[in-house]
Amino acid sequence: IAILLGRQDADLQHVVYQVEFQKSLKKQIEGILETLHSNEFETISEYLTKCYNEGFIGTMYSLQKQGIPMYILSNSIFTGKITERLLEDFCILKYFKKVYVSADYGVRKPGGKFFDIAIEEIKENHPGMDKREMLYIGNDYLTDVQGAKAAGLDVVWYNRKQFSDEKGICTFNIARFHEILEVLKFFFWN
């Protein structure tokens, strides 16, 4: 990271992207090592299996296999191209139909205009779909939960620390990412 910050021969936006990517990667690796050192798992294979079954990648794979179209709405100072490159580096861009980035539209969550732009485009790409059939999943109470609810969407709050839903507005509240699969069964079949 220090070497990247000292570079003068690269575009600043690319350097910032690389620094943020390396910080994120470092944080993930530290978390993995901490989990492995906790003696919760007897083998690395056991850890990886649990990560897949209960984690992000396994859940995203399952959602994709069910044919559920997924999109990202992100408040970011980076352009959509750079954000997509970051998602590609983490091998997760393939799960999403489109990435909406605030820097490209000049609006931010929780503002309704950002949600409206995405909702209208999604409806254009899926004729007959109503926003009552859309489910917004987010981890930030202000920008995601309150913003999506104000835009008329049902909301899943990915709330790992189980904070209180102060305003009682989220449709679903989950602590583990894989719980989204159960939420979708309830949402679409009830």
Side-chain angles (χ1 to χ4, degrees):
I1 294 174
I3 293 170
L4 279 172
L5 290 173
R7 286 185 57 184
Q8 301 297 320
D9 63 326
D11 176 14
L12 180 61
Q13 193 170 25
H14 289 99
V15 170
V16 171
Y17 162 77
Q18 285 296 324
V19 168
E20 292 303 314
F21 175 75
Q22 287 188 15
K23 284 180 183 176
S24 177
L25 196 56
K26 181 180 178 187
K27 187 175 179 182
Q28 286 181 348
I29 291 170
E30 287 169 350
I32 291 168
L33 291 174
E34 183 179 317
T35 301
L36 287 172
H37 286 130
S38 71
N39 295 324
E40 182 181 341
F41 303 97
E42 291 186 28
T43 66
I44 291 176
S45 177
E46 183 183 323
Y47 166 76
L48 293 174
T49 300
K50 182 177 181 189
C51 287
Y52 180 81
N53 291 334
E54 295 185 6
F56 181 80
I57 298 298
T59 301
M60 295 304 291
Y61 180 77
S62 179
L63 294 172
Q64 186 182 50
K65 283 293 186 190
Q66 293 177 51
I68 297 172
M70 295 176 284
Y71 300 84
I72 292 178
L73 266 72
S74 175
N75 280 347
S76 177
I77 60 169
F78 301 115
T79 65
K81 275 190 158 182
I82 290 176
T83 302
E84 287 177 358
R85 215 170 343 159
L86 179 62
L87 295 169
E88 183 66 38
D89 287 347
F90 282 109
C91 300
I92 61 173
L93 179 62
K94 64 186 173 190
Y95 297 110
F96 300 99
K97 299 274 186 195
K98 182 169 181 177
V99 178
Y100 295 89
V101 178
S102 59
D104 292 340
Y105 294 94
V107 292
R108 296 177 61 79
K109 300 180 290 183
K113 184 165 177 140
F114 193 27
F115 286 97
D116 291 342
I117 289 167
I119 290 167
E120 289 309 311
E121 190 171 308
I122 291 167
K123 285 169 55 177
E124 286 174 15
N125 292 327
H126 301 278
M129 179 180 272
D130 186 84
K131 72 177 173 181
R132 290 178 302 216
E133 300 172 90
M134 297 178 191
L135 187 61
Y136 186 88
I137 302 165
N139 66 333
D140 185 271
Y141 192 76
L142 172 63
T143 60
D144 293 320
V145 176
Q146 291 182 24
K149 197 64 171 181
L153 297 171
D154 283 308
V155 183
V156 176
W157 185 15
Y158 179 38
N159 179 11
R160 290 184 292 182
K161 295 184 180 179
Q162 291 297 283
F163 293 118
S164 172
D165 179 6
E166 298 165 5
K167 299 183 187 252
I169 59 173
C170 63
T171 314
F172 302 97
N173 189 333
I174 63 172
R176 299 191 186 279
F177 198 77
H178 72 278
E179 294 174 48
I180 290 168
L181 298 172
E182 292 303 313
V183 165
L184 289 175
K185 286 179 190 173
F186 180 84
F187 184 75
F188 288 114
W189 289 285
N190 280 324

